[in-house]
């Protein structure tokens, strides 16, 4: 038994913030941001929008594409670092909004590698027969954990959600997944604050050593993709579409180069979405599926890396 991706969906908040708009409130410029990261704009959630609202809209699209009724959803896994609340999980809140009940529902906290983690876990549960189907979502509202006065971080991120539905399959589908973590790097990329006795103790904002993240990300993304290809006994040249975590165009280009893949085989949305953390891979995937680039029989390689550090890859044969 395998699992296959039967449908994809996405949701972006209506409000678009361009680099020029940001440059009116922090000391930066469109030229600096675009040259260093490839980012031109990001979507930002409204004050009354929640992560589960974005997840719900993306899930409805994915369920419609898969032909699965909301009430028939079994497993729900939401990858997020920006949940609606400390508990219950965003997955449980999403389950109630969808009108589903009874199946397992939980969040995965692996930051920007969260979607790959969630996909690997859900694939294992569908494959083993533990669940009938799975809704796997990456959803984030990073705008709420950014210090909008810190030009070193606020220009990099955006809000959004992407979702996929996994159904059982006899062949193809998810061919191999690999997950990794190394907690020794925990201080390089973090939101160190925690809630204590009714107040936030420590900073509630994203902190990052950009140079360290850059070097680490380029190495482990390519390594994870290569290990996943080895498990599936396929060469890198078999990859039709590389769908990397959309953190930074320079990291993505370097990853494609290390895999000897031409840039035109990489899906890029970082220019329009910025870094949406756990949502970035399913958002990019949904774009490439809906515009007809990803077709039946194609091999799609998803690779992600995030705070922790966490990283991993998933190789899927489409159709
Ligand atoms: N606008 C203008 N100038 C800026 C900005 C900005 N938004 N941010 C920093 N600068 C300045 C710095 O203050 C510094 O000025 P100085 O020389 O006077 O001190 C100068 O630009 C160079 O700063 P660096 O940090 O060295 O710039 P760098 O070329 O390394 O680019 C960046 C910074 C884009 C963050 C880069 O390190 C990077 O891409 N790192 C990867 C981080 C990343 O992608 N994080 C996403 C989250 S992690 C993840 O998803 C895995």
């Amino acid at each position: 038994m395998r699992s296959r991706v039967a449908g994809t969906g996405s949701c972006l908040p209506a409000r678009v913030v361009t680099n020029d708009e940001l440059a009116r409130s922090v000391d930066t410029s469109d030229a600096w941001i675009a040259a260093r990261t490839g980012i031109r704009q990001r979507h930002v959630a409204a004050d009354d929008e929640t992560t589960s609202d974005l997840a719900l809209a993306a899930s409805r699209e994915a369920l419609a594409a898969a032909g699965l009724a909301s009430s028939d959803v079994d497993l729900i896994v939401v990858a997020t670092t920006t949940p609606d609340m400390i508990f219950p999980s965003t997955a449980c809140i999403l389950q109630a909004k969808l009108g589903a009940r009874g199946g397992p529902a939980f969040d995965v906290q692996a930051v920007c590698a969260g979607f790959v983690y969630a996909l690997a876990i859900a694939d294992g549960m569908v494959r083993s027969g533990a669940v009938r189907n799975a809704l796997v979502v990456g959803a984030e509202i990073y705008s709420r954990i950014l210090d909008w006065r810190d030009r070193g971080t606020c220009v990099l991120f955006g809000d959004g959600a992407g979702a996929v539905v996994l159904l059982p399959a006899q062949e193809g589908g998810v061919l191999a997944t690999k997950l990794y973590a190394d907690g020794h790097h925990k201080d390089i990329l973090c939101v160190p604050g925690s809630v204590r006795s009714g107040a936030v103790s420590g900073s509630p904002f994203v902190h990052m050593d950009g140079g360290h993240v850059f070097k680490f990300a380029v190495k482990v993304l390519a390594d994870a993709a290569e290990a996943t290809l080895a498990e599936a006994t396929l060469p890198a040249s078999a990859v039709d579409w590389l769908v990397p975590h959309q953190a930074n165009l320079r990291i993505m280009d370097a990853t494609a180069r290390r895999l000897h893949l031409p840039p035109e085989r990489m899906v890029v949305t970082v220019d329009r979405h910025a870094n949406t953390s756990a949502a970035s891979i399913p958002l990019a995937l949904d774009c490439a599926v809906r515009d007809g680039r990803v077709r039946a029989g194609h091999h799609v390689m998803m690779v992600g890396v995030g705070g922790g550090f966490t990283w991993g890859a998933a190789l899927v044969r489409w159709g």
Side-chain angles (χ1 to χ4, degrees):
M1 176 98 85
R2 289 184 177 278
S3 78
R4 70 180 175 92
V5 179
T8 65
S10 60
C11 170
L12 290 160
R15 181 161 178 243
V16 172
V17 176
T18 63
N19 291 347
D20 284 332
E21 186 178 343
L22 264 186
R24 291 200 282 274
S25 53
V26 282
D27 183 13
T28 189
S29 66
D30 176 52
W32 193 97
I33 301 169
R36 294 297 218 287
T37 69
I39 296 165
R40 292 277 179 190
Q41 61 172 48
R42 70 283 297 138
H43 291 251
V44 174
D47 283 348
D48 60 353
E49 262 174 325
T50 61
T51 298
S52 64
D53 289 337
L54 304 184
L56 177 65
S59 299
R60 283 193 171 135
E61 278 195 6
L63 289 165
L68 188 70
S70 303
S71 53
D72 290 336
V73 171
D74 197 355
L75 170 67
I76 300 178
V77 189
V78 176
T80 186
T81 310
T82 50
D84 285 15
M85 54 183 81
I86 291 177
F87 73 82
S89 68
T90 306
C92 283
I93 297 168
L94 175 62
Q95 189 199 50
K97 286 185 175 179
L98 282 168
R101 71 174 75 226
F106 56 91
D107 288 359
V108 164
Q109 161 54 300
V111 203
C112 304
F115 182 76
V116 174
Y117 265 62
L119 188 68
I121 294 163
D123 170 56
M125 291 179 74
V126 172
R127 209 178 257 267
S128 71
V131 295
R132 300 186 310 277
N133 58 59
L135 173 63
V136 185
V137 187
E140 302 280 15
I141 301 189
Y142 255 60
S143 56
R144 308 229 167 111
I145 56 168
L146 294 175
D147 178 352
W148 287 97
R149 295 159 304 176
D150 175 12
R151 67 178 183 174
T153 51
C154 76
V155 302
L156 301 176
F157 296 91
D159 303 335
V164 304
V165 170
L166 295 184
L167 295 179
Q170 292 306 317
E171 55 186 30
V174 181
L175 300 182
T177 58
K178 286 280 187 185
L179 302 178
Y180 308 89
D182 185 347
H184 295 93
H185 300 280
K186 67 179 176 49
D187 299 324
I188 303 304
L189 180 57
C190 57
V191 177
S194 59
V195 176
R196 285 189 201 184
S197 310
V200 177
S201 165
S203 167
F205 298 126
V206 173
H207 292 259
M208 181 184 73
D209 173 346
H212 192 123
V213 171
F214 196 103
K215 284 184 218 128
F216 190 88
V218 170
K219 177 169 168 24
V220 300
L221 287 172
D223 287 353
E226 276 165 0
T228 308
L229 285 161
E231 185 148 313
T233 57
L234 283 170
S237 57
V239 174
D240 296 287
W241 296 107
L242 177 65
V243 186
H245 168 47
Q246 310 278 316
N248 180 313
L249 191 56
R250 291 187 304 153
I251 294 177
M252 294 159 61
D253 281 342
T255 305
R257 270 198 307 276
R258 284 193 54 167
L259 293 169
H260 305 291
L261 289 174
E264 56 274 17
R265 278 204 245 162
M266 182 167 73
V267 178
V268 177
T269 52
V270 70
D271 53 332
R272 289 163 285 152
H273 301 168
N275 180 349
T276 56
S277 193
S280 89
I281 291 175
L283 271 168
L285 179 66
D286 185 53
C287 277
V289 169
R290 284 178 191 270
D291 68 21
R293 274 178 288 175
V294 173
R295 295 195 305 272
H298 281 178
H299 289 111
V300 178
M301 173 63 79
M302 296 172 245
V303 280
V305 58
F309 279 117
T310 52
W311 67 101
L315 180 64
V316 175
R317 186 179 300 141
W318 214 256

